[in-house]
Amino acid sequence: MNADSVLPHRHAPGPRTPREDAALPRRRGRAGAVLHGVGAVTAVLLVLAAIGAVIGEPVLIPSLAASAGVLHGTPTLPTAQPRSVVVAHLLGAGAGYVVLALWQSSPWSAALAGGLTFAATTLARTPHSPACATAVVVVLQAPAPARFVPLLLGATVVLVLAGFAASRVRRGAARYPVRWW
């Protein structure tokens, strides 16, 4: 006798992947989904680059490009939800600045900051691996926190809003976000 034969099967709370209520795309639909994703990721990255050009500050950093890929490629997963995207990047920046305060910038301290970010995001229940790269960027480039953190916050909000908009444009696309917080 096993537990499956006695206990009723219940779904865990939270997003289901793949969504049970969404039909799997047909071959024809898959090409459309890929083009939609490519267009959405490219568009939001171009918006971040344009904002940076207008304000004269770099807003587009590698970890945000990875976040755009996660958000548009797997919009129903916990790693793509707004809370994870925004909070994890802020935790990554925080870990990077803490490491910079204790040690000088080096590949070793950058690696430590990445590991600390992973720990912090795990403990905060905000999984988002691109945030580890944000910590590395902070340690290796040492941007001024008063400028970098607000730009990072704004950029993550732009990513989330772009994900929301993109999920409403394509008919049949998975709705983003599954939950806001």
Side-chain angles (χ1 to χ4, degrees), residues 119-178:
T121 58
T122 300
L123 291 172
R125 296 177 49 159
T126 56
H128 190 69
S129 53
C132 296
T134 295
V136 170
V137 166
V138 167
V139 172
L140 294 179
Q141 295 185 355
R147 294 181 95 139
F148 182 77
V149 173
L151 290 172
L152 180 66
L153 175 61
T156 58
V157 169
V158 168
L159 285 175
V160 166
L161 293 175
F164 175 81
S167 76
R168 280 17 182 216
V169 169
R170 184 168 183 270
R171 201 167 148 184
R175 291 290 186 212
Y176 177 81
V178 173

Side-chain angles (χ1 to χ4, degrees), residues 2 11 17-18 22 37 43 46-47 56 62 79 82 86 92 95 112 114 127 133 151-152 155 168 171:
N2 65 26
H11 292 289
T17 305
L46 287 170
V47 166
T79 56
V86 175
L112 177 62
L151 290 172
L152 180 66
R168 280 17 182 216
R171 201 167 148 184

